[in-house]
Amino acid sequence: KAGVTQTPRYLIKTRGQQVTLSCSPISGHRSVSWYQQTPGQGLQFLFEYFSETQRNKGNFPGRFSGRQFSNSRSEMNVSTLELGDSALYLCASSPGQAFAKNIQYFGAGTRLSVL
Amino acid sequence: DQQVKQNSPSLSVQEGRISILNCDYTNSMFDYFLWYKKYPAEGPTFLISISSIKDKNEDGRFTVFLNKSAKHLSLHIVPSQPGDSAVYFCAASEKGAQKLVFGQGTRLTINP
């Protein structure tokens, strides 16, 4: 079974631009979660999508948004980039059903640098 | 407000000995706990998990212990191997929620 795939692996953007990151979950997984990792804040939850609906949201500004498609693939978008958005963005997938163990499997991440 | 804390930023252990990584939490609603291992420039890799109804779970060289009254869990690695050198994250979730709350991580170094 293929793992979680994130594209692109690296991105360089300038302040004020916007960026879209993509995530393909493990086949059969319907839940996709996004996390931001920075040296200062560690791993922080952004949001989770299940069956094309946002089910949970972390404490991030509205510049951070996401969506999920019918094939469970997900994208996250960051608008009006700030220097502080430089981070490793991680996507994780899991079956997502209430009766299933909440083991999330992570992709390799997208390293975003904002200049 | 850090709900999951790993108070040791780093740990150094000799190859073949036991590595013990610790994690404390404050949220009594957490009912599922996980350990992940992370290498630089890679995503976290799932290691082992434990439900709040158990106090121990074992998988090969890895054992996780949960002390609910102390809100404390630990990961034991026996015997430690050089390939175990990585950053280890403790994570927790509330019942039915997909959101994982992570600790800050502990960098484990296994010395030959």
Side-chain angles (χ1 to χ4, degrees), chain A residues 83-112:
Chain A
L83 295 178
D85 297 333
S86 294
L88 180 67
Y89 289 90
L90 292 159
C91 166
S93 78
S94 70
Q97 290 91 341
F99 57 83
K101 287 182 182 177
N102 181 19
I103 297 174
Q104 295 186 22
Y105 297 92
F106 285 81
T110 294
R111 170 73 61 186
L112 172 64

Side-chain angles (χ1 to χ4, degrees), chain B residues 1 24 41-42 47-48 50 53 69 71 73 81 84 94 111:
Chain B
D1 173 31
D24 297 298
E42 292 185 13
L47 278 175
I48 192 168
I50 188 166
I53 62 173
S69 60
K71 292 192 175 67
L73 64 155
Q81 300 173 353
D84 295 331
E94 296 184 16
N111 302 306

Side-chain angles (χ1 to χ4, degrees), chain A residues 29-45:
Chain A
H29 285 187
R30 293 167 63 190
S31 170
V32 174
S33 298
W34 289 88
Y35 294 82
Q36 180 196 65
Q37 185 183 24
T38 58
Q41 299 297 318
L43 272 154
Q44 292 192 294
F45 173 80

